[in-house]
Amino acid sequence: MEDEYAALQDNHTWDLIPRPAKANVVTGKWIFKHKFHADGSLERYKARWVLWGFTQRPGVDYDETFSPIVKPATVRTVITVAHSRDWPIHQLDVKNAFLHGTLSETQAPRALYSRFASFLISLGFTEAKSDTSLFIFNRGTEKVYLLLYVDDIVLTASSQQLLHRVIAALKKVFAMKDLGPLHHFLGITVQCHRDSILLSQRQYTLDILARLGMSDCKPCSTPVDTCAKVPPDAGPCVADPTTYRSLVGALQYLTFTRPDIAYAVQQVCLHMHDPRETHLVAAKRILRYLQGTLSHGLVIPRTAPTQLRVYTDADWAGCPDTRRSTSGYAVYLGGNLVSWSSKRQPTVSQSSAEAEYRAVANGVAEATWLRQLLQELHHPLDSACLIYCDNVSACYLSTNPVQHQRTKHVEIDLHFVRERVAMGAVRVLHVPTTS
């Protein structure tokens, strides 16, 4: 508590002034927290003075929110590229992060980001257009990638000397703590082996199970029932909708390293506005599956990231109530899975070819973004991205220049994919469902 108060004073966090007329003064309280190591052992005690933000009214006391959060696919891509080059990867923590910004408005996170970004740019970094929380330094053979997630930083460089030089420069301006080689980042355990990196959230999963009182639950072999989807109004409402939403939100974050539960989590997310007991049973089934797969995670082998491959699929009219389709994709950079998605389509598809083609369009959009990201990382790809789809008609639509009457309602997706195919950036290929 003394360290926290001293930081507030040293950074001249406030000036005492008379209370403005009709101003909503936000008070706060002390929050005490135990910080743990990746293995669950106690690291330290932490105290923070936290304001009661919930006493502010949207549209009255504030208009918008801001949080400098790097995209998960960016993190996985940067780790893949750095690991393939055998670069050192460190993690850093900004102490009392929100006290470093100079406020020109009532947004401490934006003030921190603006000051941090300005300082990095003065060092020669550039802000990536594909992800504004990624900063890149490139000068000759010297390269540095910096990922920012609020007050947590992942830093990798082409040499140890360059890495320590950048860390020293940051420590001169910010209260920075070097946590050493990347090992535990945002609840994700990073285990570095000789030829691979394992990203896992075992401890985070155990915490979720303990919170729901399911630490000793019986495991199951699949995360979702193979029977028909659960309708939105099946069964009585859950006793505590907040608990359901908290559980589903935790499961969403768990998909950072668990693509195997992406579809199951997407299904329970559809009912957050009005959760029923049957939906809670489906969410608990995911937990039972996680109980039996605690050691699972995302493996990043050391391979040459020279090509993007995207696998897409869709279930036509899979939702029994809205008849919308669910589309998904998995993107591989070299041999590493770096991005995936399972999402219900916004409109009803009139044919299986249309549903599959919309899934292809989503995969092409993600591949296009990743190509731009790799270009900014000075790791361009020489070959076209390969898009695999199990629908022959969807493959033909990607190259057929004739706009048929029966496909004009998907004109935007058609033009977008065909343009990328014509440019040579992607190739849409058929892959059979059965081997």
Side-chain angles (χ1 to χ4, degrees):
M1 292 172 68
E2 291 177 351
D3 292 341
E4 174 77 357
Y5 182 71
L8 293 169
Q9 294 282 33
D10 294 343
N11 285 277
H12 306 289
T13 307
W14 57 69
D15 292 312
L16 293 177
I17 61 171
R19 174 177 176 170
K22 299 181 180 180
N24 177 26
V25 178
V26 181
T27 185
K29 68 175 182 179
W30 286 103
I31 298 294
F32 303 99
K33 186 176 182 181
H34 293 163
K35 299 288 286 187
F36 297 96
H37 294 288
D39 59 0
S41 60
L42 180 66
E43 177 189 354
R44 60 189 172 94
Y45 298 100
K46 185 176 181 179
R48 285 291 180 267
W49 174 255
V50 181
L51 295 179
W52 285 354
F54 59 84
T55 61
Q56 297 177 302
R57 295 161 295 175
V60 178
D61 300 306
Y62 67 92
D63 294 319
E64 61 179 6
T65 59
F66 178 84
S67 183
I69 296 176
V70 68
K71 295 184 178 74
T74 303
V75 176
R76 293 186 286 261
T77 302
V78 168
I79 292 178
T80 295
V81 173
H83 186 54
S84 69
R85 299 173 176 176
D86 199 20
W87 288 2
I89 308 175
H90 271 229
Q91 61 183 98
L92 301 94
D93 178 66
V94 185
K95 298 180 181 179
N96 305 102
F98 291 157
L99 305 186
H100 289 285
T102 302
L103 289 178
S104 58
E105 54 173 324
T106 57
Q107 290 251 3
R110 198 197 303 272
L112 163 69
Y113 176 82
S114 298
R115 186 183 178 197
F116 197 80
S118 299
F119 177 72
L120 288 177
I121 291 172
S122 70
L123 292 180
F125 283 80
T126 58
E127 183 183 82
K129 295 181 176 60
S130 52
D131 193 333
T132 55
S133 292
L134 167 65
F135 297 88
I136 302 163
F137 177 89
N138 180 49
R139 186 174 296 167
T141 59
E142 295 184 332
K143 291 181 175 61
V144 183
Y145 304 149
L146 186 147
L147 300 169
L148 178 65
Y149 195 105
V150 188
D151 59 348
D152 291 294
I153 295 173
V154 172
L155 185 68
T156 181
S158 53
S159 67
Q160 285 281 3
Q161 295 79 7
L162 179 59
L163 181 77
H164 292 304
R165 209 163 68 224
V166 173
I167 294 175
L170 290 171
K171 285 184 175 180
K172 288 182 180 179
V173 179
F174 301 96
M176 195 80 63
K177 184 178 181 181
D178 183 6
L179 301 177
L182 183 63
H183 61 280
H184 192 69
F185 176 69
L186 303 175
I188 301 168
T189 301
V190 183
Q191 298 177 353
C192 297
H193 304 285
R194 181 177 181 181
D195 296 320
S196 65
I197 293 178
L198 174 64
L199 305 180
S200 66
Q201 292 170 280
R202 185 179 187 277
Q203 187 60 45
Y204 182 75
T205 305
L206 290 173
D207 293 341
I208 298 175
L209 290 169
R211 192 190 316 164
L212 271 293
M214 296 181 62
S215 297
D216 299 321
C217 66
K218 183 179 179 180
C220 63
S221 57
T222 59
V224 66
D225 196 340
T226 55
C227 298
K229 295 181 175 67
V230 179
D233 55 353
C237 296
V238 297
D240 185 6
T242 301
T243 300
Y244 178 87
R245 292 167 187 146
S246 175
L247 168 60
V248 172
L251 291 174
Q252 279 184 300
Y253 187 69
L254 194 57
T255 60
F256 193 109
T257 62
R258 296 296 298 267
D260 51 334
I261 65 170
Y263 171 75
V265 172
Q266 179 264 336
Q267 288 295 305
V268 295
C269 284
L270 296 175
H271 311 291
M272 292 182 70
H273 63 290
D274 184 22
R276 304 299 178 100
E277 286 295 334
T278 49
H279 306 146
L280 182 59
V281 170
K284 287 186 175 180
R285 182 188 177 95
I286 302 175
L287 293 179
R288 290 172 54 209
Y289 169 75
L290 293 171
Q291 173 75 309
T293 57
L294 288 172
S295 60
H296 287 198
L298 186 69
V299 178
I300 302 179
R302 181 172 289 151
T303 59
T306 57
Q307 188 180 50
L308 280 173
R309 288 178 293 117
V310 184
Y311 296 88
T312 67
D313 200 4
D315 66 337
W316 178 40
C319 179
D321 301 287
T322 64
R323 284 306 173 188
R324 295 185 187 180
S325 308
T326 299
S327 58
Y329 61 75
V331 185
Y332 286 82
L333 176 59
N336 298 337
L337 182 61
V338 295
S339 182
W340 54 85
S341 172
S342 178
K343 188 176 182 180
R344 191 167 68 176
Q345 295 181 2
T347 58
V348 177
S349 298
Q350 298 183 12
S351 66
S352 60
E354 179 185 341
E356 296 280 1
Y357 197 85
R358 292 191 189 278
V360 169
N362 292 337
V364 171
E366 185 71 5
T368 302
W369 173 76
L370 283 169
R371 284 185 74 98
Q372 179 185 346
L373 173 64
L374 291 166
Q375 188 76 31
E376 293 187 272
L377 292 173
H378 304 281
H379 188 85
L381 301 180
D382 299 327
S383 58
C385 174
L386 302 180
I387 313 290
Y388 290 100
C389 171
D390 65 352
N391 187 279
V392 176
S393 298
C395 296
Y396 288 160
L397 285 174
S398 67
T399 55
N400 187 359
V402 178
Q403 185 76 21
H404 293 291
Q405 181 72 17
R406 61 185 177 183
T407 59
K408 68 177 183 180
H409 53 287
V410 289
E411 182 177 354
I412 295 177
D413 286 341
L414 280 171
H415 284 310
F416 170 68
V417 176
R418 285 178 184 166
E419 180 186 73
R420 296 292 163 180
V421 172
M423 291 170 55
V426 302
R427 291 175 58 202
V428 181
L429 305 175
H430 177 255
V431 56
T433 303
T434 56
S435 56

